[in-house]
Amino acid sequence: MKNSTKDNAMNVSFSEWVKSGSPFIWLNAGAVAISIIMVIGLIGFIAAKGLVHFWPAEIVEAEYTLPGNAPAKILGQVTDSEMVSAIQLKAIGLKTENDAIEAKRILLKVGNRDVYGGDFRWVLDHHLTEKNYPETAMAIERREWGNFYGYLDKVYEGHELVADVSQDQAKAWDHFQTLIVRALNIHDSIMEIQKGEIGSINYELERLRLKERSYELDKKLTQERKDELTKERAELNAEYEGHQVELTKLYTDLKRDHFVAKETNGKTVEIHMSEVVRAFRPNAMSGFEKVGHYFDKLGEFLGDDPREANTEGGVFPAIFGTVLMVILMAIMVTPLGVVAAVYLREYAKQGAITNIIRVAVNNLAGVPSIVYGVFGLGFFIYFLGGTIDELFFPEALPSPTFGTSGLLWASITLALLTLPVVIVATEEGLARIPRMIREGSLALGATKWETLIKVILPMASPAMMTGVILAVARAAGEVAPLMLVGVVKLAPSLPLDMNYPYLHLDQKFMHLGFHIYDVGFQSPNVEAARPLVYATALLLVIVIALLNLSAIAIRNHLREKYKALEM
C-alpha cells in the first residue's frame, strides 16, 4: 500500500510538472544552448584553422631518409600533421617505426617551387633524423613561385657586392632588409602610377574614342570636333609618355639589386629584390617580433590585392565588392519591398487575388538562388542590358557596356532574390499596428497619405529593418547567382574610383563567397589554399555580422524613437 501510494504521488507530481510547462522550458533552453555551442564551435574551428596561417612557424632542418634511398637534407615549416595506420603505409610500400599500428605523418612547406615543382611535402616523422632549428634559416615570400627557404649568402647593389654572410652575418641581414624595403617602396610607386595616373589616362582615352565614335554615328563629326578631340588626345598621350619615362626609370631601379641564397643541399640561387615581398627568420624572432609579423600578415590579408592565383596576398577587393554589392542591393530592395507590402496591406482589396499574391510571394522565398541567377542572366543582362546598349551606348558596340555581367545586375538579381523577405517582414509589421491608431489619425483631420507617411510607416520601420537584416544576411553569402551575373576571379580595378562617373555599375567585381569557392575548388595549389579558405570564410562571417549589427542598431534606434506612438 505504501509503495502504491508513493507511486501515485509521484505520478501526480510528474503530471503537474508536465502541465506546468517546465519540460518545454528546459527543452527550449537546451536547444538554444546546443545551437549557441554549435555556432561558437564552428566559428572557433574556422578561426583556429585560418588565423594560425599568419603565425611565423619555425623552420626545421633534418635528414630525410627513405628506405632504400640515400639520406637527403630537407628544410621547411611544419604546417599540419596526422596519424596514419600501418595498413595505409603498407599499401604504398612504407612501414611504421618498430612495427607500430600507426605513425605520425607531417606536412612540410618546403617552398622552392621553381626547384622542386611543389610547395608542400608529406613525410613520416620517423624518417626525419637530426632535427634542428637553425636561427639563420630564412623564409622569403616572393611575388611568384611561392616561398623560398634557405640561407642568405651574398647581397649585391647592382653588380657590387655590398654584404657577405661569411664576413658579418648581422650586417649582411640588416643590409638585405634595407634593400627589400627600398624595392617595396619602388614597387608601390610603380603600382600607384600604373593604377592611378596611367589608369586615369587610359580611361580618358577610351572616353575620347567612344565620343568620337558617337559623333560618327550621329554624323556630327565636324572638322572642328576632330581637331578638339585630337588636341585632347595629344595632351593625354604626352602625359602618358611622361609617366612611361618615369616608369622606365623606376623599373630600372627596381631591377638593380639582387642577392644569392643557398638551399639546404648547398645549391645557390640568385633572386632579384623586385621578387621579394618579405623575408624573415622565424627561428631567431622573439615573441614580440612574431606578434608584429602576425599582425603585419593579417593587415596584408585585409588590405592588399591577391596574388599567386589567389593563394597569397590579400582579399581587399573581395571585401570591397561584397560590401558595395550588399549596400546597393539594400538600397534597391528596401523601397520595392516596402511599397509592395504597403499596397498589399493598406490599399489592395482583401480577397482571393490578394491571398494568391501573398502565397506567391512566400513561395518565391523558397526558389533556389541559381534560378534567380539564370533569370538575371537572361532578362537583365541579355535582354535589358542589350537593349540599353543599343539605345544609349551604340558607340561601344559590339563590345557590351551593360549587356554583360556587372555590379548593377548582380545587385538587382540579389534584390529580387531577397524581395519576398522584405515584403513579408514589412507586411507583418504593418499588420501589428492597431486599427485605432489609423482611425485616430484620420479623425484628427489627416489624410490617408499623411497617416501612412507620418504614422504608419514610422511605426513599421523596425519591421522593415528586420526584413533588411534578413535580406542582407542571405544576400551577402550567396554565390551561385553571382557566378552568372557579375562576379569574377580577379578584378583589375575596384568598381568605385576617382574616374567619372566614379561608381561603375557596369564593372565586374570580386566577392568573398566566390573567392572561397575559387580558392577552395579551383586553386592549383590545394595545400597553400586550404588555410586561406578558412580565413576568408571567417572574414565573410565577420563582414555579414557587422552589416547585420549596423542594421540592428538602426532598427533599435527606430524602435525606441517610435515606442511612444505604440503606447
Side-chain angles (χ1 to χ4, degrees), residues 48-69:
K49 287 287 188 177
L51 296 181
V52 73
H53 169 69
F54 305 111
W55 186 259
E58 291 184 325
I59 298 175
V60 60
E61 185 180 48
E63 290 282 347
Y64 180 51
T65 307
L66 274 175
N69 294 332

Side-chain angles (χ1 to χ4, degrees), residues 423-493:
I423 292 175
V424 171
T426 303
E427 192 174 1
E428 289 179 354
L430 293 171
R432 287 198 300 266
I433 298 175
R435 183 176 180 84
M436 63 181 178
I437 292 180
R438 296 177 173 83
E439 294 174 349
S441 176
L442 295 173
L444 292 173
T447 63
K448 188 171 184 178
W449 172 253
E450 291 173 335
T451 300
L452 178 67
I453 296 299
K454 296 182 179 180
V455 179
I456 304 302
L457 288 183
M459 293 181 65
S461 56
M464 298 176 199
M465 290 307 302
T466 299
V468 173
I469 292 168
L470 296 174
V472 167
R474 182 177 182 187
E478 285 292 346
V479 176
L482 297 180
M483 295 171 66
L484 301 176
V485 295
V487 75
V488 289
K489 175 186 177 73
L490 185 63
S493 59

Side-chain angles (χ1 to χ4, degrees), residues 414-425:
L414 289 188
L416 190 64
L417 185 150
T418 56
L419 183 62
V421 177
V422 179
I423 292 175
V424 171

Side-chain angles (χ1 to χ4, degrees), residues 6-7 14 20 33 76 86-87 95 108 139-140 211 213 228 232 244 283 285 310 322 378 385 403 495 525 538 552 555:
K6 186 176 180 180
D7 290 342
F14 179 78
S20 68
I87 298 175
K95 62 180 183 179
L108 275 179
I140 299 175
K211 191 175 182 181
R213 177 60 179 162
E228 182 182 346
E232 291 183 28
Q244 281 294 105
N283 298 346
M285 295 170 73
N310 290 347
T322 303
N525 196 345
L538 177 64
I552 289 171
R555 182 187 64 183

